[in-house]
Amino acid sequence: MSKVLIATKINGEAHEFACEPSASLLDALRDDLRLTGTKEGCGSGDCGACTVTLDGEMVCACLVLAPEVAGRQVGTVEGIAEDGALHPLQAKFLEHAALQCGFCTPGFLVAAKNLLDRNPDPSEHEVRFWLAGNLCRCTGYDKIVRAVLDAAAELRQERAGA
Amino acid sequence: MNDMSAPPYKVVGTRPVRPDGVDKVTGKAVFGPDFAASGMLHGAVLRSPHPHARIRAIDTSKAAALPGVRAVVTGADFPTLESLTMALGESSGDVLDIARNCMALDKALYEGHAVAAVAATSTLIAREALQLIAVDYEVLPHVIGIEEAMAADAPVLHDTLFTKGLDATPDKPSNVATRFVMANGDVESALAGAAAVASGRFTTAPVHQGYIEPHACVASVNADGQTQIWASSQGAFMIRSLTATILGMPISDIRVTPLEIGGGFGGKTTVYLEPVAVLLSRKCGLPVRLVMTRDEVFRASGPAPGSVVDLRIGADKDGKLVAADIEFRNSAGAFPGSSVHATAMCSLACYRIANFRVTGWDVVSNMPSSAAYRAPGAPPVVFAVESALDEIAMQLGLDPIDLRLRNAVRPGDPGPMGMPHGPVALVECLEAAKAHPHWTAPLAPRHGRGVAAGFWPNYGGQSTATVSVAEDGTITVVTGSPDIGGSRASMAMMAAEVLGLPYEAVRCIVADTASIGFSMVTGGSRTTFATGKAVVEASEAVVATLRARAAAIWGIEDDAVTWQGGAAQAAGQEPLTIKAIAAKAGQSAGGTIAAEATVNPLDYAAGLAVHICDTEVDPETRQVRVARYTAVQDVGRAIHPSYVEGQMQGGAVQGIGWALNEGYVHDAGGRVANAGFLDYRMPVASDLPMIDTVMIEVPNPAHPFGVKGVGEAPIVPPLGAVANAVSRAAGVRLRDLPMSPDRVHAAIAAKG
Ligand code: FES
Ligand code: FES
């Protein structure tokens, strides 16, 4: 099998990489681009550790073929903080101790940001169902849900003040 | 809930951001599968498709000839070992079994048992090479279930296994590794006189620890034998000693660097991949990475044992427990070691009970070798006992918390192994549960409320820490205890408290095995207690040095100097801050200020927890929903309360999964039928309510801040709490976990 060359944008930055036609986006990110913030917990779409955005839609990177991202926009956990400043979601995850081991955290952050981008004022119920595709074995989700709700409130305030 | 007499700490008890936090929310943290070494090869492991088979021959020649393949290993590459029991923290294991579990030699003992491994220039090539390995199997009859494995005509896994603990040594090998008995008093006559007796059989399925990060490591062996391993685990020193022993290497030839660990829960207190990766790397001289897939994690790494528990528990008419007769069988998987001692010890540890007989059986079968899982052994037997107590409360018309209060152990009562109980705070936990608004809140239709208690002894053990003062007076704390859930923060907090410095002036890291003295695994709920003690001792030694330096500068006796607010103080002197003392250290006065402490404390104190759960049973689907949950626990002293709450919440939810959804399913061929997160369904956010926590702080006098281990106790009560809630909601006793909708439906239908 010969490799294919893919040109894409990752976190707003143009990237090129060569991969097997059968490679997943997850493998391309982790192995070829060395962006290891996106995690593999299952490789079958069941844990959400590999959650990224593709043209703004939430996807499991393990279920996307790497060649599919040609000419599109990929968003990963590495792109959430801007210019070294943490996004309110990241700050709230830390403040609420919403991570224990932290392995699920990148997936949760990408998914939660995607939720808040479209719904600035989600209920606890909406947060729980939006994040139902992300497994966390450490926290029991309590502090994750609280961190997301608190970040949403802070973002609303920021917007109101802006 | 804080102890009213809590001393006024400045840092301990606050909730600062953990030092490794930013790395973990930005994707920078390097976990097991994230590490790459230059020139690294990629490995893959061939696993047995049969649950039980003799390996007649393995032909690896075609695989070795595939372009890109650099090394192939099989069981024959492992040195011959003698049986040797090694301590692995709170449990122990035979290195021979651990080696055989890393790779089969003459027999594959479960589906997924490793039989060969390959290292190649890409994962794709390594996997292709696996297909070219020809294994000649003689398929043997297999056995999965506990009782089937105990049957006289069961296929025997190990012809060297003769049951230990019987009155007479058996003349034939069997699948029963051990019988363990703990007894006191006259059980039969006490039961005969009891006013209420609950009895029956309770079963639980084997469950997986379910850490989201699969096992992963990179090994690199040099021509002179010096070896580096990068891996995520609960103990870099555990990897070092097991790998060295299994491969017959000097321990100091191996340096293990701990990577960030994505959950362990006990399942990462042993080795699977590391010795294999070392052998592969030794053959080709290049670094080799091995990473398990999720499928491999389920099929080849440690489930917690399933269990079958028979019991009879009796109480007098006032609800005083008079006797208990418990017989449990744990499924150890392919090799012995299903924590029967801990299971027996925890079964009745919460209650005063004069007459008891607890018999435990450790049973092997053709499943992956079981591994520790959070309070190993305790949850299944406690589920049975707490269910029985619920029945007794119903029979006698007693409030279930009152029943437990009537029998709860107090400090100084005889403990499970005869030693007196330490500062146990079960009464305080039960009273807090009773006073909690949850306990008296009205119940909605179809809802049931359950309560259960749980005990876990915790552990202490060996730890090392160093504390060094930098030239500007800031502090580095180094330990050898992998940080699984925020322990770097609590170590820094304890050091800051002793040194009188702000939390941010102290940074804590976890070092590799060449950079710090031996430390046991992060397990047994021991880290904040034992490693914390080492940190405190080293910090105190640093304070003593700082006082001596100040005394020398002032020309007075050391004893005349006190340490307060991060500065040396003496009558008639301007305080000398740590910064001022540190700045002078390099030039004249005495040199670098640093201290190391090694500890091996055994004065740890047990953890006690009481959980309340409300469940709703769907009238049509019989699906159980957890509607409300409250976890109460005696935590000794919460150094960082958020991470203590996190342990309580996480443990509760793992227990909820154990009670309602989780369990290995085997097909008729003895193969795991649900080796993925879709079919092995762990709780997700939408399954759950908030998990309310109540921390009781009854300090452990043997720790400078009163710490008791908190990580394991919270998984002990939930199985019983959920089962009692479901049983009350359904109007019938549920005795088998998981309480899947079909089981709940069958129980309700059988009741009529
Ligand atoms: S790794 Fe993609 S969903 Fe689990
Ligand atoms: S914090 Fe460990 S899996 Fe979520």
Side-chain angles (χ1 to χ4, degrees), chain B residues 153-382:
Chain B
D153 59 349
V156 170
L157 272 73
H158 307 278
D159 49 20
T160 50
L161 190 67
F162 294 83
T163 312
K164 288 189 191 132
L166 294 182
D167 303 329
T169 312
D171 53 6
K172 280 199 324 219
S174 74
N175 295 323
V176 181
T178 306
R179 183 186 72 154
F180 177 73
V181 184
M182 210 175 81
N184 196 44
D186 180 352
V187 172
E188 289 310 326
S189 54
L191 277 176
V197 175
S199 64
R201 167 164 288 200
F202 295 83
T203 68
T204 67
V207 295
H208 198 274
Q209 294 81 352
Y211 33 80
I212 312 297
E213 177 203 47
H215 298 264
C217 70
V218 174
S220 177
V221 183
N222 287 347
D224 62 1
Q226 292 196 72
T227 296
Q228 291 221 61
I229 300 173
W230 296 265
S232 67
S233 79
Q234 290 175 245
F237 289 94
M238 172 277 299
I239 292 182
R240 187 179 72 160
S241 36
L242 282 178
T243 305
T245 311
I246 288 170
L247 299 180
M249 298 168 68
I251 288 181
S252 59
D253 269 1
I254 302 181
R255 175 179 178 189
V256 182
T257 301
L259 303 172
E260 296 299 332
I261 171 173
F265 316 110
K268 291 178 184 166
T269 56
T270 187
V271 292
Y272 297 99
L273 301 174
E274 290 81 1
V276 179
V278 168
L279 286 177
L280 287 168
S281 174
R282 190 191 277 166
K283 283 201 171 179
C284 61
L286 292 171
V288 174
R289 174 201 272 172
L290 283 175
V291 184
M292 283 196 196
T293 63
R294 179 57 49 184
D295 187 85
E296 290 178 289
V297 171
F298 273 114
R299 288 183 211 277
S301 74
S307 69
V308 176
V309 184
D310 289 309
L311 59 65
R312 291 179 298 154
I313 299 186
D316 71 12
K317 63 179 190 336
D318 301 321
K320 184 171 168 314
L321 298 176
V322 294
D325 183 17
I326 301 177
E327 182 164 20
F328 66 87
R329 305 133 193 103
N330 289 349
S331 58
F335 298 97
S338 60
S339 311
V340 279
H341 289 74
T343 308
M345 180 176 170
C346 292
S347 59
L348 297 167
C350 283
Y351 306 109
R352 293 171 161 171
I353 183 158
N355 307 290
F356 58 84
R357 181 171 57 227
V358 182
T359 309
W361 300 90
D362 184 34
V363 183
V364 300
S365 70
N366 296 113
M367 288 195 296
S369 182
S370 68
Y373 179 23
R374 216 168 188 162
V381 76
V382 168

Side-chain angles (χ1 to χ4, degrees), chain A residues 26 39-51 60-63 133, chain B residues 677:
Chain A
L26 182 58
K39 304 299 180 200
E40 174 165 348
C42 68
S44 56
D46 301 314
C47 76
C50 67
T51 306
C60 292
C62 68
L63 297 183
Chain B
F677 283 141

Side-chain angles (χ1 to χ4, degrees), chain B residues 42 122 160 165 236 287 378 481 543 568 608 623:
Chain B
H42 302 264
S122 78
T160 50
S481 298
V543 167
L608 275 304
Q623 178 91 26

Side-chain angles (χ1 to χ4, degrees), chain A residues 97-105 108 135-141 144, chain B residues 18 31 210-213 261-265 484-485 682:
Chain A
L99 47 143
Q100 280 174 35
C101 78
F103 194 77
C104 67
T105 309
F108 271 98
L135 289 176
C136 174
R137 191 57 157 176
C138 298
T139 63
Y141 304 101
I144 293 176
Chain B
R18 59 199 280 172
F31 287 86
Y211 33 80
I212 312 297
E213 177 203 47
I261 171 173
F265 316 110
I484 270 196
M682 309 199 306

Side-chain angles (χ1 to χ4, degrees), chain B residues 237 240 463-466 479-480 512-519 596 598:
Chain B
F237 289 94
R240 187 179 72 160
S463 284
T464 309
T466 66
T479 78
D512 67 80
T513 56
S515 308
I516 185 85
F518 181 83
S519 301
E596 179 182 82
T598 58

